[in-house]
Amino acid sequence: NAGVTQTPKFRVLKTGQSMTLLCAQDMNHEYMYWYRQDPGMGLRLIHYSVGEGTTAKGEVPDGYNVSRLKKQNFLLGLESAAPSQTSVYFCASRSSADTQYFGPGTRLTVL
Amino acid sequence: AQSVTQLDSHVSVSEGTPVLLRCNYSSSYSPSLFWYVQHPNKGLQLLLKYTSAATLVKGINGFEAEFKKSETSFHLTKPSAHMSDAAEYFCVVSEVRNTGKLIFGQGTTLQVKP
């Protein structure tokens, strides 16, 4: 099992550019999450999904969109990147035992 | 609403001495509590979790935590620190069981000196 994987690992964008981060899990989990991590602030929830075809807003959803067309994939989109979105992004999926498993992260820099 | 407070942003210990990382939580119901570890430039790894079974929870790499409802605490301990324990540690509470949303503390950086 690969667990939770994220693509890409690193990315540099210019202000106003768009991009999509891909998260994939092979554990057949229903629940998936996108977080961002900023220094001194822990992780904050951006969006989450409780199943294929469903998404919901988390704590900091502005400027992001998500889609869950397939159970194993959860996509995070930035339509018009801003420097405030410079961060490390983590995806997670949740088992039936209420444990979240995290991917390795994507380090995004917006210039 | 649920919340988590990690009482120390930075803890420094010598190798071979005990580790104590402190965490207080606030929850309107019996929560699920977790400790995650993050090594530099890595993802998060689950150390242990509490889900209303035994109040003393044993995790990986010799870590354990004790759930104390009366004190609303979930402190992480290890009898003897190893150099490889140097990392960032997060105390986490699960907000609502049916969505599984996690609330993270700000993190504690553990430094281990030789």
Side-chain angles (χ1 to χ4, degrees), chain B residues 1 5 7-8 10 13-14 19-20 26 30 35 37-38 50-52 54 58 69 71-72 79 86 94 100 106 108:
Chain B
T5 302
L7 299 173
D8 306 290
H10 187 96
V13 301
S14 297
V19 175
L20 170 64
S26 170
S30 183
W35 276 97
V37 61
Q38 184 180 31
Y50 165 79
T51 54
S52 75
K58 293 189 183 299
K69 187 174 182 178
E71 299 176 10
T72 61
S94 181
Q106 285 93 337
T108 298

mmCIF file of all heavy atoms in Angstrom, chain B residues 1 5 7-8 10 13-14 19-20 26 30 35 37-38 50-52 54 58 69 71-72 79 86 94 100 106 108:
data_model
loop_
_atom_site.group_PDB
_atom_site.id
_atom_site.type_symbol
_atom_site.label_atom_id
_atom_site.label_comp_id
_atom_site.label_asym_id
_atom_site.label_seq_id
_atom_site.Cartn_x
_atom_site.Cartn_y
_atom_site.Cartn_z
ATOM 1 N N ALA B 1 -17.351 24.733 21.534
ATOM 2 C CA ALA B 1 -16.441 24.345 20.458
ATOM 3 C C ALA B 1 -15.189 23.716 21.051
ATOM 4 O O ALA B 1 -14.775 24.042 22.157
ATOM 5 C CB ALA B 1 -16.064 25.568 19.617
ATOM 6 N N THR B 5 -4.739 23.446 23.456
ATOM 7 C CA THR B 5 -3.654 24.345 23.809
ATOM 8 C C THR B 5 -2.424 23.541 24.195
ATOM 9 O O THR B 5 -2.481 22.732 25.129
ATOM 10 C CB THR B 5 -4.050 25.252 24.992
ATOM 11 O OG1 THR B 5 -5.215 25.999 24.658
ATOM 12 C CG2 THR B 5 -2.912 26.221 25.316
ATOM 13 N N LEU B 7 1.016 23.813 25.849
ATOM 14 C CA LEU B 7 1.463 24.798 26.822
ATOM 15 C C LEU B 7 2.896 25.267 26.603
ATOM 16 O O LEU B 7 3.294 26.287 27.166
ATOM 17 C CB LEU B 7 1.306 24.221 28.235
ATOM 18 C CG LEU B 7 -0.157 23.873 28.575
ATOM 19 C CD1 LEU B 7 -0.238 23.144 29.899
ATOM 20 C CD2 LEU B 7 -1.010 25.125 28.610
ATOM 21 N N ASP B 8 3.662 24.543 25.808
ATOM 22 C CA ASP B 8 5.050 24.923 25.544
ATOM 23 C C ASP B 8 5.296 24.925 24.047
ATOM 24 O O ASP B 8 5.005 23.939 23.382
ATOM 25 C CB ASP B 8 6.023 23.941 26.209
ATOM 26 C CG ASP B 8 5.741 23.787 27.691
ATOM 27 O OD1 ASP B 8 5.993 24.747 28.428
ATOM 28 O OD2 ASP B 8 5.249 22.710 28.093
ATOM 29 N N HIS B 10 8.323 25.271 22.831
ATOM 30 C CA HIS B 10 9.644 24.683 22.648
ATOM 31 C C HIS B 10 10.053 23.995 23.945
ATOM 32 O O HIS B 10 9.925 24.582 25.019
ATOM 33 C CB HIS B 10 10.659 25.775 22.288
ATOM 34 C CG HIS B 10 12.008 25.258 21.920
ATOM 35 N ND1 HIS B 10 12.415 25.053 20.624
ATOM 36 C CD2 HIS B 10 13.061 24.883 22.691
ATOM 37 C CE1 HIS B 10 13.653 24.589 20.611
ATOM 38 N NE2 HIS B 10 14.073 24.477 21.844
ATOM 39 N N VAL B 13 15.536 18.950 26.045
ATOM 40 C CA VAL B 13 15.948 17.949 27.034
ATOM 41 C C VAL B 13 17.292 17.367 26.608
ATOM 42 O O VAL B 13 17.681 17.482 25.435
ATOM 43 C CB VAL B 13 14.918 16.803 27.166
ATOM 44 C CG1 VAL B 13 13.553 17.352 27.581
ATOM 45 C CG2 VAL B 13 14.802 16.015 25.879
ATOM 46 N N SER B 14 17.951 16.730 27.530
ATOM 47 C CA SER B 14 19.180 16.012 27.213
ATOM 48 C C SER B 14 18.853 14.560 26.866
ATOM 49 O O SER B 14 17.876 13.999 27.383
ATOM 50 C CB SER B 14 20.152 16.055 28.391
ATOM 51 O OG SER B 14 20.546 17.383 28.663
ATOM 52 N N VAL B 19 10.914 13.026 28.846
ATOM 53 C CA VAL B 19 10.243 14.027 28.016
ATOM 54 C C VAL B 19 8.821 14.233 28.536
ATOM 55 O O VAL B 19 8.116 13.256 28.842
ATOM 56 C CB VAL B 19 10.173 13.567 26.539
ATOM 57 C CG1 VAL B 19 9.367 14.560 25.702
ATOM 58 C CG2 VAL B 19 11.575 13.406 25.965
ATOM 59 N N LEU B 20 8.408 15.497 28.636
ATOM 60 C CA LEU B 20 7.031 15.833 28.970
ATOM 61 C C LEU B 20 6.578 16.952 28.042
ATOM 62 O O LEU B 20 7.140 18.047 28.063
ATOM 63 C CB LEU B 20 6.906 16.291 30.428
ATOM 64 C CG LEU B 20 5.551 16.901 30.825
ATOM 65 C CD1 LEU B 20 4.432 15.867 30.700
ATOM 66 C CD2 LEU B 20 5.600 17.469 32.240
ATOM 67 N N SER B 26 -10.272 21.416 25.243
ATOM 68 C CA SER B 26 -11.615 21.840 25.619
ATOM 69 C C SER B 26 -12.576 21.132 24.689
ATOM 70 O O SER B 26 -12.411 21.167 23.465
ATOM 71 C CB SER B 26 -11.771 23.359 25.475
ATOM 72 O OG SER B 26 -13.114 23.743 25.620
ATOM 73 N N SER B 30 -17.141 13.735 25.234
ATOM 74 C CA SER B 30 -15.948 12.900 25.395
ATOM 75 C C SER B 30 -15.202 12.836 24.071
ATOM 76 O O SER B 30 -15.695 12.270 23.096
ATOM 77 C CB SER B 30 -16.350 11.487 25.841
ATOM 78 O OG SER B 30 -15.196 10.703 26.063
ATOM 79 N N TRP B 35 -1.894 12.384 19.402
ATOM 80 C CA TRP B 35 -0.605 13.044 19.275
ATOM 81 C C TRP B 35 0.012 12.594 17.946
ATOM 82 O O TRP B 35 0.086 11.398 17.658
ATOM 83 C CB TRP B 35 0.347 12.664 20.418
ATOM 84 C CG TRP B 35 0.161 13.472 21.668
ATOM 85 C CD1 TRP B 35 -0.555 13.130 22.781
ATOM 86 C CD2 TRP B 35 0.716 14.765 21.944
ATOM 87 N NE1 TRP B 35 -0.479 14.118 23.727
ATOM 88 C CE2 TRP B 35 0.289 15.139 23.239
ATOM 89 C CE3 TRP B 35 1.531 15.647 21.229
ATOM 90 C CZ2 TRP B 35 0.654 16.349 23.828
ATOM 91 C CZ3 TRP B 35 1.901 16.839 21.818
ATOM 92 C CH2 TRP B 35 1.465 17.183 23.102
ATOM 93 N N VAL B 37 3.479 13.341 15.302
ATOM 94 C CA VAL B 37 4.852 13.852 15.251
ATOM 95 C C VAL B 37 5.196 14.197 13.808
ATOM 96 O O VAL B 37 4.750 13.510 12.867
ATOM 97 C CB VAL B 37 5.858 12.822 15.831
ATOM 98 C CG1 VAL B 37 5.845 11.520 15.036
ATOM 99 C CG2 VAL B 37 7.272 13.396 15.847
ATOM 100 N N GLN B 38 5.957 15.275 13.656
ATOM 101 C CA GLN B 38 6.398 15.684 12.323
ATOM 102 C C GLN B 38 7.897 15.948 12.361
ATOM 103 O O GLN B 38 8.350 16.900 13.003
ATOM 104 C CB GLN B 38 5.660 16.940 11.868
ATOM 105 C CG GLN B 38 6.007 17.365 10.448
ATOM 106 C CD GLN B 38 5.267 18.618 10.018
ATOM 107 O OE1 GLN B 38 4.958 19.487 10.823
ATOM 108 N NE2 GLN B 38 4.976 18.711 8.736
ATOM 109 N N TYR B 50 -6.362 8.427 21.850
ATOM 110 C CA TYR B 50 -7.263 8.075 22.947
ATOM 111 C C TYR B 50 -8.696 8.155 22.421
ATOM 112 O O TYR B 50 -9.097 9.152 21.836
ATOM 113 C CB TYR B 50 -7.106 9.059 24.109
ATOM 114 C CG TYR B 50 -8.239 8.949 25.095
ATOM 115 C CD1 TYR B 50 -8.265 7.931 26.044
ATOM 116 C CD2 TYR B 50 -9.296 9.849 25.049
ATOM 117 C CE1 TYR B 50 -9.324 7.823 26.928
ATOM 118 C CE2 TYR B 50 -10.357 9.743 25.938
ATOM 119 C CZ TYR B 50 -10.365 8.724 26.861
ATOM 120 O OH TYR B 50 -11.417 8.610 27.732
ATOM 121 N N THR B 51 -9.445 7.059 22.660
ATOM 122 C CA THR B 51 -10.844 7.051 22.212
ATOM 123 C C THR B 51 -11.742 6.450 23.276
ATOM 124 O O THR B 51 -12.583 5.610 22.983
ATOM 125 C CB THR B 51 -10.995 6.268 20.897
ATOM 126 O OG1 THR B 51 -10.430 4.955 21.084
ATOM 127 C CG2 THR B 51 -10.304 6.948 19.754
ATOM 128 N N SER B 52 -11.594 6.870 24.518
ATOM 129 C CA SER B 52 -12.454 6.531 25.659
ATOM 130 C C SER B 52 -12.309 5.102 26.145
ATOM 131 O O SER B 52 -13.194 4.603 26.819
ATOM 132 C CB SER B 52 -13.923 6.837 25.366
ATOM 133 O OG SER B 52 -14.472 5.880 24.489
ATOM 134 N N ALA B 54 -8.866 2.795 27.706
ATOM 135 C CA ALA B 54 -7.953 3.015 28.820
ATOM 136 C C ALA B 54 -7.466 4.456 28.834
ATOM 137 O O ALA B 54 -7.205 5.041 27.786
ATOM 138 C CB ALA B 54 -6.761 2.067 28.715
ATOM 139 N N LYS B 58 -0.641 3.887 25.209
ATOM 140 C CA LYS B 58 0.743 3.647 24.771
ATOM 141 C C LYS B 58 0.827 3.804 23.262
ATOM 142 O O LYS B 58 -0.057 3.348 22.527
ATOM 143 C CB LYS B 58 1.194 2.255 25.194
ATOM 144 C CG LYS B 58 1.311 2.099 26.715
ATOM 145 C CD LYS B 58 1.956 0.788 27.080
ATOM 146 C CE LYS B 58 2.002 0.605 28.599
ATOM 147 N NZ LYS B 58 2.789 1.676 29.255
ATOM 148 N N LYS B 69 -9.569 13.562 32.610
ATOM 149 C CA LYS B 69 -10.774 14.346 32.343
ATOM 150 C C LYS B 69 -10.913 15.500 33.329
ATOM 151 O O LYS B 69 -11.307 16.608 32.950
ATOM 152 C CB LYS B 69 -12.003 13.432 32.411
ATOM 153 C CG LYS B 69 -13.292 14.098 32.000
ATOM 154 C CD LYS B 69 -14.429 13.100 31.965
ATOM 155 C CE LYS B 69 -15.725 13.771 31.511
ATOM 156 N NZ LYS B 69 -16.840 12.795 31.437
ATOM 157 N N GLU B 71 -8.723 17.262 34.720
ATOM 158 C CA GLU B 71 -7.785 18.334 34.424
ATOM 159 C C GLU B 71 -7.847 18.763 32.953
ATOM 160 O O GLU B 71 -7.105 19.661 32.550
ATOM 161 C CB GLU B 71 -6.359 17.886 34.754
ATOM 162 C CG GLU B 71 -6.154 17.528 36.222
ATOM 163 C CD GLU B 71 -4.766 17.002 36.523
ATOM 164 O OE1 GLU B 71 -3.887 17.091 35.639
ATOM 165 O OE2 GLU B 71 -4.565 16.474 37.631
ATOM 166 N N THR B 72 -8.686 18.126 32.172
ATOM 167 C CA THR B 72 -8.783 18.325 30.708
ATOM 168 C C THR B 72 -7.390 18.353 30.089
ATOM 169 O O THR B 72 -7.048 19.263 29.320
ATOM 170 C CB THR B 72 -9.578 19.601 30.336
ATOM 171 O OG1 THR B 72 -8.937 20.747 30.872
ATOM 172 C CG2 THR B 72 -10.998 19.512 30.840
ATOM 173 N N PRO B 79 10.036 8.060 28.872
ATOM 174 C CA PRO B 79 10.983 7.966 30.001
ATOM 175 C C PRO B 79 12.395 8.437 29.662
ATOM 176 O O PRO B 79 13.075 9.001 30.509
ATOM 177 C CB PRO B 79 10.980 6.466 30.336
ATOM 178 C CG PRO B 79 9.750 5.917 29.727
ATOM 179 C CD PRO B 79 9.469 6.752 28.517
ATOM 180 N N ALA B 86 13.849 14.272 18.252
ATOM 181 C CA ALA B 86 13.803 15.698 17.936
ATOM 182 C C ALA B 86 12.867 15.924 16.752
ATOM 183 O O ALA B 86 13.087 15.389 15.659
ATOM 184 C CB ALA B 86 15.198 16.204 17.605
ATOM 185 N N SER B 94 -10.417 15.537 17.916
ATOM 186 C CA SER B 94 -11.373 15.320 16.843
ATOM 187 C C SER B 94 -12.646 16.083 17.179
ATOM 188 O O SER B 94 -13.245 15.852 18.237
ATOM 189 C CB SER B 94 -11.676 13.832 16.682
ATOM 190 O OG SER B 94 -12.588 13.609 15.636
ATOM 191 N N GLY B 100 -15.174 13.904 11.472
ATOM 192 C CA GLY B 100 -13.773 13.630 11.744
ATOM 193 C C GLY B 100 -12.865 14.826 11.646
ATOM 194 O O GLY B 100 -11.640 14.682 11.576
ATOM 195 N N GLN B 106 -0.902 24.320 18.406
ATOM 196 C CA GLN B 106 0.094 25.060 17.627
ATOM 197 C C GLN B 106 1.401 24.308 17.463
ATOM 198 O O GLN B 106 2.227 24.685 16.643
ATOM 199 C CB GLN B 106 0.380 26.418 18.279
ATOM 200 C CG GLN B 106 -0.721 27.435 18.086
ATOM 201 C CD GLN B 106 -1.701 27.431 19.226
ATOM 202 O OE1 GLN B 106 -1.838 26.440 19.948
ATOM 203 N NE2 GLN B 106 -2.403 28.514 19.395
ATOM 204 N N THR B 108 4.608 21.748 19.505
ATOM 205 C CA THR B 108 5.743 21.888 20.419
ATOM 206 C C THR B 108 6.967 21.323 19.736
ATOM 207 O O THR B 108 6.949 20.167 19.287
ATOM 208 C CB THR B 108 5.512 21.129 21.739
ATOM 209 O OG1 THR B 108 4.379 21.677 22.405
ATOM 210 C CG2 THR B 108 6.739 21.240 22.637
#
